[in-house]
């Protein structure tokens, strides 16, 4: 664990952009009167997304915004390793989990790649200023060890090869989809399912709803028939079963370019000059909303009308956010939002 202190070189000042300030007013409004300090973490996150790191003036601006003593905001900023207290790489700051499960599964090798390819020491900028790295404590993805965090994304089940590919992708502005990098489905068994294999459990009603969605609705190939009753483990070794490849279903695994014929209808500007609040889509923040606007996406019904290939086309233009559109099921969320439904927490519910 590193010592967390403010950087010796600090900027003169910090001010939230108009858009970020407006967004934070909405966040603050979630909390009861007098409890605006509860918004300290989102406010620091927004400050970091705006400047790339947390400076003393940013801490002071957050304290002023939330009517808190500076020291209390400083305590939060210095406690959580999610907050960067010094300038980080322009393209990525890589946080390598170095806690026991990740160590046992190869974190050491990931750290040596950081030292050899990026910078000799944590928090040092790479020669081109594009990258920096640090070692952090458990990020809660031990079952997919070893793993790293880049911004809001995690890259899991890494090997030297896939980690090098991640660095290459980040450098080229085309990182792989976040999540497991070995093709496994979230934290499902690497060799495929060995228990609860009765297809009736995954009929899309309750248990295993995600499987019905990701494996059948999103996969272009016809859905496989539901498996028969579970076979004894000895009669059907796990290794014979196909590994679910959700990333392939997302059109991300092979980096295949989706041709422009699948480009969805994009607008020059929002209808009647008023865009829908795309941040109500779970997983979409101010930065991603801006990228969508730049692409010509402004409305829920616009997204709701896309098909899978349209979504893939958009997804490939989302830089380091690639994979989110599928993971968070934007089409389904937007279909609900287009009907007038609103998430209970104002900032987007979990994917439907
Ligand atoms: S030990 Fe690395 S994510 Fe938990």
């Amino acid at each position: 664990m590193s010592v967390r202190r403010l950087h010796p070189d600090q900027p003169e000042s910090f001010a939230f952009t108009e858009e970020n300030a407006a967004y934070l007013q909405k966040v603050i409004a979630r909390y009861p009167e007098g409890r605006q300090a509860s918004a300290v973490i989102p406010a620091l996150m927004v400050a970091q997304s705006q400047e790339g790191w947390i400076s003393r003036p940013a801490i002071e601006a957050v304290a002023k915004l939330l009517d808190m003593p500076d020291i209390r905001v400083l305590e939060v900023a210095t406690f959580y390793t999610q907050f960067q207290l010094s300038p980080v790489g322009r393209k990525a700051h890589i946080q390598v989990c170095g806690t026991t499960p990740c160590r046992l599964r190869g974190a050491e090798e990931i750290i040596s790649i950081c030292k050899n390819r990026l910078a000799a020491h944590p928090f040092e900028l790479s020669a081109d200023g594009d990258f920096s790295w640090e070692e952090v404590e458990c990020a809660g993805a031990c079952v997919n060890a070893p793993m790293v965090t880049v911004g809001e994304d995690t890259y899991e089940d890494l090997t030297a090869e896939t980690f090098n590919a991640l660095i290459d992708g980040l450098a080229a502005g085309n990182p792989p989809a976040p999540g497991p990098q070995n093709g496994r489905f979230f934290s499902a068994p690497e060799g495929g399912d060995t228990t609860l294999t009765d297809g009736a459990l995954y009929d899309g009603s309750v248990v295993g709803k995600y499987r019905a969605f990701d494996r059948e609705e999103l996969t272009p190939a016809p859905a496989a028939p539901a498996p028969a009753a579970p076979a004894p483990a000895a009669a059907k070794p796990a290794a014979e079963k196909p590994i679910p490849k959700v990333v392939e279903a997302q059109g991300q695994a092979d980096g295949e370019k989706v041709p422009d014929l699948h480009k969805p209808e994009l607008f020059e500007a929002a209808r009647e000059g008023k865009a829908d609040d795309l941040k109500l889509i779970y997983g979409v923040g101010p930065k991603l909303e801006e990228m969508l606007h730049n692409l010509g996406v402004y409305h829920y019904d616009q997204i709701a009308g896309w098909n899978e290939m349209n979504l893939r086309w958009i997804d490939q233009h989302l830089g380091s956010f690639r994979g989110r559109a599928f993971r968070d099921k934007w089409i389904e969320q937007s279909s609900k939002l287009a009907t007038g439904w609103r998430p209970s927490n104002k900032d987007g519910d979990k994917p439907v």
Side-chain angles (χ1 to χ4, degrees):
M1 187 74 183
S2 50
V3 177
R4 293 179 55 76
R5 295 201 178 105
L6 294 182
H7 196 257
D9 300 326
Q10 293 288 330
E12 290 287 306
S13 61
F14 173 91
F16 285 109
T17 62
E18 215 172 286
E19 190 191 15
N20 284 342
Y23 170 72
L24 284 174
Q25 286 308 323
K26 284 201 251 172
V27 174
I28 293 167
R30 292 180 199 154
Y31 304 102
E33 192 62 38
R35 299 283 181 184
Q36 67 274 26
S38 303
V40 65
I41 286 182
L44 285 168
M45 292 300 278
V46 170
Q48 180 162 278
S49 73
Q50 186 177 311
E51 294 283 283
W53 61 292
I54 300 288
S55 63
R56 182 190 295 274
I59 287 173
E60 290 163 355
V62 170
K64 192 164 171 210
L65 176 73
L66 303 178
D67 197 19
M68 294 170 71
D70 293 355
I71 183 68
R72 290 203 48 216
V73 182
L74 179 72
E75 285 165 357
V76 175
T78 51
F79 181 80
Y80 293 106
T81 53
Q82 282 87 347
F83 297 122
Q84 302 307 323
L85 303 177
S86 55
V88 292
R90 274 189 302 260
K91 290 188 173 167
H93 176 71
I94 299 178
Q95 296 183 305
V96 185
C97 172
T99 305
T100 314
C102 281
R103 283 273 165 190
L104 292 171
R105 297 267 300 167
E108 204 74 55
E109 197 172 11
I110 303 295
I111 290 171
S112 356
I113 294 170
C114 289
K115 287 181 178 168
N116 293 327
R117 281 196 67 180
L118 306 180
H121 304 103
F123 298 107
E124 224 171 70
L125 291 178
S126 57
D128 56 8
D130 282 348
F131 287 92
S132 53
W133 68 278
E134 70 176 300
E135 181 184 330
V136 294
E137 299 298 324
C138 177
C142 328
V143 74
N144 293 85
M147 60 79 67
V148 300
T149 305
V150 181
E152 294 179 8
D153 293 319
T154 56
Y155 296 87
E156 304 146 15
D157 289 315
L158 291 166
T159 60
E161 193 186 340
T162 52
F163 183 56
N164 274 311
L166 170 62
I167 295 175
D168 292 340
L170 290 165
N174 185 27
Q181 300 299 300
N182 64 351
R184 86 155 127 162
F185 190 76
F186 296 120
S187 54
E190 282 189 36
D193 300 338
T194 55
T195 56
L196 302 174
T197 52
D198 183 350
L201 290 170
Y202 311 114
D203 61 359
S205 54
V206 187
V207 181
K209 188 173 178 186
Y210 72 96
R211 294 181 185 219
F213 182 86
D214 286 316
R215 294 184 186 180
E216 293 165 19
E217 290 176 24
L218 270 190
T219 306
K236 195 172 185 183
E240 289 176 17
K241 301 181 77 184
I243 298 173
K245 288 196 172 154
V246 70
V247 276
E248 266 184 21
Q250 293 172 354
Q252 302 289 328
D254 51 7
E256 158 203 348
K257 187 170 180 325
V258 179
D260 281 349
L261 83 106
H262 296 295
K263 181 174 169 178
E265 187 188 4
L266 300 172
F267 298 165
E268 289 288 320
R271 287 191 297 256
E272 296 169 11
K274 185 152 176 36
D276 292 335
D277 184 359
L278 299 182
K279 294 188 293 302
L280 289 184
I281 299 173
Y282 175 81
V284 174
K287 212 162 171 179
L288 198 42
E289 182 181 52
E290 190 185 333
M291 289 173 90
L292 288 168
H293 286 175
N294 290 339
L295 283 168
V297 182
Y298 296 94
H299 301 286
Y300 305 132
D301 60 358
Q302 206 182 342
I303 301 173
W306 293 346
N307 60 30
E308 184 205 333
M309 293 308 291
N310 297 148
L311 193 65
R312 285 192 193 191
W313 188 93
I314 289 287
D315 189 60
Q316 74 185 359
H317 291 81
L318 295 180
S320 60
F321 294 106
R322 279 184 75 186
R324 296 269 178 99
F326 286 90
R327 186 189 71 191
D328 295 337
K329 302 174 184 170
W330 285 4
I331 296 176
E332 286 69 17
Q333 289 198 66
S334 300
S335 303
K336 277 179 79 173
L337 287 161
T339 65
W341 171 89
R342 290 294 174 265
S344 51
N345 63 6
K346 295 192 189 144
D347 195 26
D349 272 348
K350 295 276 180 200
V352 287

